[in-house]
Amino acid sequence: MSTTTPTTQQNPTYSEAFQSGVREEMKLNPNIFILGTDLVERGGHFAQVKGIAQEFGVDRVKDSPISEAAMVAAGLGSAMYGCHPIIDLNFIDFSLGAMDEIINQAAKIRFMFNRPVPLVIRATSGVALGGAHHCNSLESLFAHTAGLSVAVPSRAYDVKGLIKTALRSPDPVIFLMHKKLSGVRGEIGDENTFIPFGSAHRVKSGKDAAIISYGYTIVSAQKAAQTLAEQGIDVEIIDLRTLYPLDTDTINATVQKFGRVVVADEAPMFGSITAEIAATASEVNFRHLKGPIVRVGAARAPLSANPQMSEAAIPSANDLVEAVKKVMSY
Amino acid sequence: MTTDSKWGKETLRQMLLIRNFEETADKLTLRGKVPGGMHNSSGQEAVAVGVMSALDPKDVIATTHRSHHHTIAKGMPVNIVMAELFTKATGCSGGRGASMHLADVENGHFGGNGIVGAGVGIAMGAALGIKQMGHKKVAVGFVGDGGVNTGRTWEAVNMAVIYKLPLIIIVDNNQYAVETFVERVTGGNDIAKRGAGFGLPSFTIDGQDVEEVHKHTSEARNRALAGEGPTFINALTYRYYGHNVGEKGQYRTQEEIADWRSHRDPIDRFSAKLISEGALTQADYEAMIKSVAKEIEEAVDFAEKSPLPDVSTILDGVDSGLLGARK
Ligand SMILES: Cc1ncc(C[n+]2csc(CCOP(=O)(O)OP(=O)(O)O)c2C)c(N)n1
Ligand SMILES: [Mg+2]
């Protein structure tokens, strides 16, 4: 685990951190290319590849038709052939038009044919404005699928370090960047900083209880920790950074240390990754627990376009405060 | 051909209503009134009004993320559309959908969509339903020039052909998908030819000429009702504003936009024709512009004053509950 890094105005944004990691790896590996819609001039919908086409040319940053199945198939076939493509699906919601290519094909090639599939599928994820077709949290689905790895960075440093690792990995990676974090600035590592998958980050250490989470919910957890501190509760925050592989060592150590744990994200709770974590951690650490692991997640309902309804469906900082108080009551 | 005066005036008014709606809603979006933003259809009115004026109110449509014009032309009152943009409880989707998810399934509007290319498939399914149930109706699926590069669109076209479904596919071809010019991503560069490859009547038409759109849609509808199957119509049009409200970009020139606005504007063209034929007086036209403005003002007022949806309802309607689902 690494430690927290300070942020300043001069630091790059979360999106720029992606550019930085990709640029460095593209310089070293001529077989990396990026394919997606509106990448060349616009630089992607979240400026995540801005300027890269101008630097590396349009053979290595390719504008695509709106053809998600063909986009992922192009990535898959070229990866099997020896390239290391980044397929930019814009919003993860649009992966649903390419699910066969991802789940039946890309995820299973190595197991069946013993061949690497060095493919990165990048998409923006998470709940923000946009309603039912632009706010699906599909990370559990990908983590559930054998053969796929899933990155869910919450800060610029992790975006860069994880994308660099993904671009050296022989396996398909689903790389999910949260919409609401696109413009958030933070320090980034240098060209030799690689963050291993399956290594959580301790955002804040604490004495009383822990919140295990990822993505934008880390921001809510930090707010919750402040509120709790005012009430004399010192909460630790663990950012998983990748959902598969999952840092079970850190999860187990955290459960053993506190016996009071909240697992949170903004995906619908039913059948979600938080359920996986709570179930596995309870099985392994039952005698260390002071009470049940408490899960916080979204309602099992499509997201509404109305902002108040959408906010009400996902966990707030206050929901996390309440959950921590609950585990403190055991 | 001279235009029937009554039809002409109604058609012109519809186009004016859409234009005023879009320009008003655009400004309101910039003021933060429309959560999630919106896709402005200004410039594309003749496609929507030309198609819808050839349909029966009971016919079905399914459309795209850019669908205010289709929705208003289909007959949804502008106050209900505006309220949905504001995500108010009085909107057509109770504020759950906003700009991209306008719908009135009961009245044959099977929805806008957040997913590019989804509309044609849904309309194709509706056409199958119409045929299965022996009804005398047609379904219309809208798709953009960008959307015609989704595989699902062509799977649906093929199915409509083999089952001879009463379907009309309209490409609302404004020549750009976000910032991507159609020719950069369209192999063969002829969308109607692609349609023809599936073995159905397929046309490229002037989408800025409301009468031409109307005529082609009427003919397609007649063929569909006669059991002759689907028609594919690629309507060339142009959007005056950015992809999303507030977007400009360097991907097209100001001269190009000005050229479309000044030489091919569907409203200017049609009003000039009606006036020159004596079907409309200048005074009538001005009165029409005023009455449209008033209607939109009232719609904004309605949307502003409408209540927000009740947040305690977020779990309502996920399913019917008849299978025993619990909250
Ligand atoms: C499956 C899918 N892929 C990508 C997007 C993102 N997106 C929304 S609109 C759009 C452009 C669509 O262009 P076109 O079909 O020409 O319609 P227009 O916006 O011009 O009306 C894109 C890429 C999406 N909503 N759905
Ligand atoms: Mg278009």
Side-chain angles (χ1 to χ4, degrees):
Chain A
M1 292 207 306
S2 55
T3 47
T4 323
T5 45
T7 62
T8 71
Q9 261 313 105
Q10 282 70 47
N11 283 329
T13 65
Y14 185 82
S15 286
E16 287 162 356
F18 184 81
Q19 293 169 20
S20 171
V22 168
R23 270 209 180 86
E24 286 173 14
E25 293 305 306
M26 281 179 81
K27 277 191 194 128
L28 296 172
N29 180 353
N31 294 323
I32 295 174
F33 68 87
I34 317 174
L35 186 150
T37 54
D38 294 291
L39 301 182
V40 172
E41 278 172 44
R42 191 177 166 117
H45 286 256
F46 297 86
Q48 71 276 11
V49 298
K50 198 148 191 84
I52 298 186
Q54 287 65 32
E55 187 176 339
F56 290 90
V58 291
D59 287 336
R60 296 188 69 194
V61 181
K62 292 181 166 325
D63 270 344
S64 161
I66 309 169
S67 309
E68 282 78 12
M71 286 159 72
V72 176
L76 168 59
S78 62
M80 290 171 75
Y81 194 76
C83 296
H84 203 144
I86 301 172
I87 302 302
D88 193 305
L89 289 181
N90 192 0
F91 285 65
I92 196 58
D93 311 74
F94 311 151
S95 74
L96 293 168
M99 264 316 170
D100 186 78
E101 286 70 19
I102 299 173
I103 290 184
N104 260 333
Q105 313 301 334
K108 296 176 171 54
I109 296 291
R110 175 178 284 275
F111 179 80
M112 294 193 295
F113 306 152
N114 192 26
R115 292 291 301 170
V117 180
L119 166 66
V120 174
I121 296 175
R122 192 218 74 91
T124 300
S125 179
V127 178
L129 291 177
H133 291 175
H134 287 73
C135 291
N136 284 288
S137 294
L138 302 176
E139 54 269 27
S140 308
L141 191 60
F142 296 117
H144 178 73
T145 301
L148 300 179
S149 295
V150 185
V152 283
S154 74
R155 53 178 193 157
Y157 187 87
D158 299 333
V159 168
K160 181 171 178 187
L162 288 168
I163 190 61
K164 282 174 68 76
T165 302
L167 287 171
R168 304 255 180 129
S169 148
D171 295 316
V173 171
I174 310 292
F175 201 89
L176 301 176
M177 295 171 65
H178 200 291
K179 307 178 178 74
K180 286 208 282 205
L181 297 172
S182 304
V184 177
R185 291 177 186 279
E187 206 171 79
I188 55 173
D190 63 14
E191 62 275 13
N192 295 316
T193 307
F194 291 83
I195 297 174
F197 277 47
S199 80
H201 162 62
R202 186 189 296 120
V203 177
K204 172 190 175 307
S205 60
K207 291 199 199 74
D208 300 317
I211 299 174
I212 299 176
S213 186
Y214 63 91
Y216 188 78
T217 312
I218 293 295
V219 175
S220 309
Q222 285 168 309
K223 283 186 202 148
Q226 270 175 20
T227 310
L228 287 160
E230 287 157 20
Q231 301 173 21
I233 300 170
D234 186 7
V235 69
E236 182 151 318
I237 301 172
I238 302 291
D239 180 355
L240 294 168
R241 301 201 287 199
T242 63
L243 300 182
Y244 200 91
L246 192 58
D247 185 352
T248 46
D249 289 348
T250 298
I251 293 171
N252 288 334
T254 305
V255 177
Q256 288 167 19
K257 181 171 165 197
F258 298 102
R260 305 175 195 276
V261 175
V262 171
V263 190
D265 70 5
E266 56 180 33
M269 275 172 72
F270 194 95
S272 79
I273 195 83
T274 60
E276 166 65 28
I277 294 168
T280 311
S282 307
E283 263 169 27
V284 178
N285 308 297
F286 186 67
R287 60 198 174 80
H288 295 281
L289 283 169
K290 306 226 159 45
I293 291 174
V294 170
R295 293 198 293 139
V296 182
R300 188 176 178 278
L303 271 303
S304 291
N306 173 267
Q308 289 80 11
M309 289 187 65
S310 170
E311 281 297 314
I314 61 167
S316 62
N318 194 46
D319 293 331
L320 292 171
V321 168
E322 292 307 316
V324 170
K325 284 188 181 163
K326 191 167 176 194
V327 296
M328 289 307 296
S329 73
Y330 299 144
Chain B
M1 209 183 72
T2 53
T3 307
D4 173 71
S5 168
K6 182 164 172 284
W7 181 86
K9 284 188 201 162
E10 272 168 24
T11 300
L12 180 62
R13 190 177 191 284
Q14 281 283 305
M15 293 201 287
L16 284 168
L17 189 67
I18 292 167
R19 178 72 56 88
N20 194 316
F21 181 96
E22 292 294 57
E23 303 206 319
T24 304
D26 197 289
K27 292 192 191 94
L28 291 165
T29 304
L30 291 171
R31 283 174 42 206
K33 295 284 183 185
V34 180
M38 61 164 250
H39 304 106
N40 188 327
S41 70
S42 290
Q44 303 179 213
E45 297 83 359
V47 179
V49 177
V51 168
M52 244 52 84
S53 65
L55 300 184
D56 184 87
K58 296 252 159 56
D59 288 337
V60 175
I61 68 163
T63 167
T64 70
H65 57 284
R66 191 181 309 282
S67 69
H68 304 169
H69 55 327
H70 305 143
T71 303
I72 294 168
K74 175 80 174 126
M76 189 182 292
V78 284
N79 59 340
I80 304 296
V81 186
M82 192 65 85
E84 188 56 41
L85 264 57
F86 279 51
T87 72
K88 293 295 183 80
T90 51
C92 58
S93 310
R96 292 177 168 204
S99 160
M100 276 189 295
H101 302 280
L102 303 170
D104 180 0
V105 177
E106 199 59 34
N107 288 306
H109 188 328
F110 279 29
N113 218 292
I115 297 302
V116 167
V120 173
I122 294 170
M124 182 275 288
L128 177 60
I130 289 167
K131 186 162 179 172
Q132 292 295 102
M133 297 174 79
H135 293 168
K136 285 279 162 216
K137 288 197 247 176
V138 305
V140 178
F142 288 92
V143 61
D145 50 284
V148 294
N149 289 318
T150 59
R152 54 168 75 89
T153 296
W154 299 104
E155 294 181 24
V157 170
N158 185 51
M159 205 169 263
V161 172
I162 62 163
Y163 294 146
K164 283 206 171 187
L165 300 181
L167 177 70
I168 305 170
I169 301 108
I170 306 284
V171 186
D172 211 341
N173 184 347
N174 60 17
Q175 307 180 59
Y176 290 88
V178 190
E179 303 197 356
T180 302
F181 182 49
V182 54
E183 288 184 10
R184 286 183 51 213
V185 286
T186 310
N189 208 10
D190 187 337
I191 293 170
K193 219 169 166 181
R194 276 194 200 176
F198 284 84
L200 77 173
S202 190
F203 308 94
T204 293
I205 67 170
D206 180 355
Q208 303 306 78
D209 178 346
V210 71
E211 290 179 289
E212 178 163 337
V213 178
H214 174 89
K215 173 177 149 289
H216 274 88
T217 310
S218 287
E219 288 167 6
R221 187 170 189 276
N222 290 338
R223 278 192 296 275
L225 291 178
E228 292 169 31
T231 298
F232 189 95
I233 296 173
N234 175 34
L236 294 182
T237 182
Y238 200 77
R239 74 165 146 74
Y240 293 161
Y241 290 77
H243 171 69
N244 262 304
V245 166
E247 291 179 2
K248 293 227 162 60
Q250 303 296 314
Y251 60 97
R252 56 179 183 175
T253 61
Q254 291 307 310
E255 290 74 53
E256 181 184 297
I257 303 171
D259 183 56
W260 277 86
R261 266 189 186 270
S262 55
H263 293 105
R264 290 177 249 193
D265 183 78
I267 295 174
D268 288 351
R269 268 169 77 174
F270 194 54
S271 59
K273 179 170 192 273
L274 293 181
I275 290 169
S276 77
E277 288 175 1
L280 179 78
T281 65
Q282 189 63 38
D284 283 345
Y285 188 38
E286 275 154 29
M288 194 185 275
I289 291 172
K290 279 209 186 103
S291 96
V292 159
K294 185 158 172 286
E295 191 174 340
I296 298 296
E297 250 172 58
E298 285 166 6
V300 174
D301 195 48
F302 174 82
E304 288 277 11
K305 290 188 176 139
S306 289
L308 286 165
D310 175 357
V311 295
S312 74
T313 61
I314 55 170
L315 286 173
D316 293 356
V318 173
D319 53 42
S320 70
L322 292 175
L323 296 177
R326 28 190 112 204
K327 278 194 193 167

